[in-house]
Amino acid sequence: MTRLALLLCSAALMAPAAQAQAPAPSAGYVVPETEGWEIESRQGEIYGIYVSRPPGEAPAGGYPVLYVLDGDAVFAGFAEARRIQSPYATGADKMIIVGVGYPGGSLYDSRRVGDFTPPIRNPALAAYHRDDPQGRREAFAAFLLDELRPEVARRYSVHPDRQSLYGHSLGGLFALHMLYTRPDAFHTITAASASLGWDDQMILAEEAAFRAALRSATPPERVARLLLLVGEGEEAPVTIIDNRALAARLQALSADGLRSRFMLLEEEGHLSVPHRALTTTLRWANQWP
């Protein structure tokens, strides 16, 4: 038998063994210290809830809680940003992250349009979103405060007053709606790249009513602290313009009890802002009182 034939026979004999030794595909990476479940709202809507929490006993008074909208897109980043703080004894990891998402696995489910906004008034915008759910903002707010928060408190030891909210884009618009209409519902709110121009800047009327309430004879006893974030590289420059202008207007309300902060994130675009915002948002939510 020639040398070439011997080599071919040897390769043929070895091939099955090599294939047998190939490792089986892995199930993929699972974010540690997380769990999840689905919950049906009173309106019959199904939400996917993702929770990141540290091991061990809760601190005195219970864990702070950060509710993160668009959980399918950003929950994993927040979960690991929390967990990575655990080697240090600062306590920065001692909080619970609750991601609010949707079944189906989409990064940004179309249901978010209806959950984060009121009925659309602009005909062209309404036509563009004609296939998306619309106008369910108040139902979603009620779900968040009256259904999800009690369920989280039932499952975990949480601090009733250290409750925070994060939203990005339309979620940021919703976060501002919560500040303006329910200023005492959260201890801190982060609105990242908020879509202030949505539906001909409909949010301006709520802002004006909020300003009037702060300066009235009976202002709210508690008002959430607000962190406004926007990317330097936002693909729609008007997003930067609108958020800068809002920050200036709200800064003038500091004497009326509103604590706010504005940050421009260098080089970040609309979809990269959430990942740059992780640790800043966690620090903001962890500040107490």
Side-chain angles (χ1 to χ4, degrees), residues 69-70 108-118 120 125 129 132-133 137 140 166-177 191-199 202-203 270:
L69 305 181
D70 288 319
Y108 295 99
D109 192 284
S110 63
R111 286 171 54 192
R112 69 193 292 273
V113 176
D115 283 345
F116 299 161
T117 66
I120 299 174
L125 185 64
H129 287 282
D132 297 328
R137 184 177 64 175
F140 180 72
Y166 166 90
H168 168 253
S169 193
L170 284 181
L173 188 70
F174 176 83
L176 288 171
H177 167 69
S193 299
S195 301
L196 300 175
W198 175 264
D199 203 6
M202 47 71 59
I203 195 70
H270 194 69

Side-chain angles (χ1 to χ4, degrees), residues 151-167:
E151 179 62 21
V152 170
R154 186 184 70 81
R155 292 172 179 252
Y156 310 103
S157 176
V158 301
H159 196 298
D161 296 322
R162 299 183 67 179
Q163 308 272 315
S164 299
L165 177 67
Y166 166 90

Side-chain angles (χ1 to χ4, degrees), residues 20-279:
Q21 295 173 3
S26 104
Y29 177 72
V30 177
V31 180
E33 299 179 6
T34 63
E35 55 200 48
W37 71 88
E38 289 187 352
I39 183 173
E40 182 176 356
S41 74
R42 294 168 187 162
Q43 302 295 321
E45 299 293 333
I46 306 295
Y47 294 94
I49 306 302
Y50 321 114
V51 177
S52 169
R53 64 185 181 95
E57 295 295 323
Y63 287 113
V65 184
L66 172 63
Y67 289 88
V68 175
L69 305 181
D70 288 319
D72 300 289
V74 298
F75 167 75
F78 274 100
E80 290 291 59
R82 179 204 65 75
R83 190 175 70 95
I84 204 171
Q85 306 292 325
S86 60
Y88 293 96
T90 61
D93 65 308
K94 300 300 187 291
M95 67 184 307
I96 289 178
I97 312 294
V98 178
V100 184
Y102 305 92
S106 298
L107 283 175
Y108 295 99
D109 192 284
S110 63
R111 286 171 54 192
R112 69 193 292 273
V113 176
D115 283 345
F116 299 161
T117 66
I120 299 174
R121 300 173 302 182
N122 182 292
L125 185 64
Y128 181 81
H129 287 282
R130 61 182 174 274
D131 296 327
D132 297 328
Q134 294 187 21
R136 299 199 305 230
R137 184 177 64 175
E138 293 311 312
F140 180 72
F143 162 73
L144 188 65
L145 298 180
D146 303 332
E147 300 177 59
L148 181 57
R149 285 218 309 204
E151 179 62 21
V152 170
R154 186 184 70 81
R155 292 172 179 252
Y156 310 103
S157 176
V158 301
H159 196 298
D161 296 322
R162 299 183 67 179
Q163 308 272 315
S164 299
L165 177 67
Y166 166 90
H168 168 253
S169 193
L170 284 181
L173 188 70
F174 176 83
L176 288 171
H177 167 69
M178 296 301 285
L179 171 68
Y180 295 156
T181 61
R182 301 163 177 84
D184 61 347
F186 293 96
H187 173 58
T188 69
I189 288 176
T190 299
S193 299
S195 301
L196 300 175
W198 175 264
D199 203 6
D200 300 326
Q201 301 184 80
M202 47 71 59
I203 195 70
L204 289 178
E206 293 184 1
E207 179 193 333
F210 171 68
R211 183 184 302 109
L214 285 186
R215 293 175 171 172
S216 70
T218 56
E221 293 184 6
R222 293 191 313 159
V223 180
R225 295 183 298 116
L226 175 66
L227 174 63
L228 282 175
L229 305 174
V230 69
E232 181 187 50
E234 296 276 350
E235 289 76 6
V238 71
T239 304
I240 305 173
I241 295 170
D242 287 348
N243 276 272
R244 277 188 181 277
L246 174 62
R249 294 195 302 271
L250 295 183
Q251 187 62 41
L253 296 177
S254 61
D256 301 296
L258 176 66
R259 296 176 179 176
S260 61
R261 181 185 180 191
F262 173 77
M263 292 182 64
L264 181 69
L265 304 181
E266 296 181 357
E267 301 182 0
E268 303 302 338
H270 194 69
L271 291 181
S272 67
V273 161
H275 299 284
R276 178 75 176 278
L278 297 175
T279 53

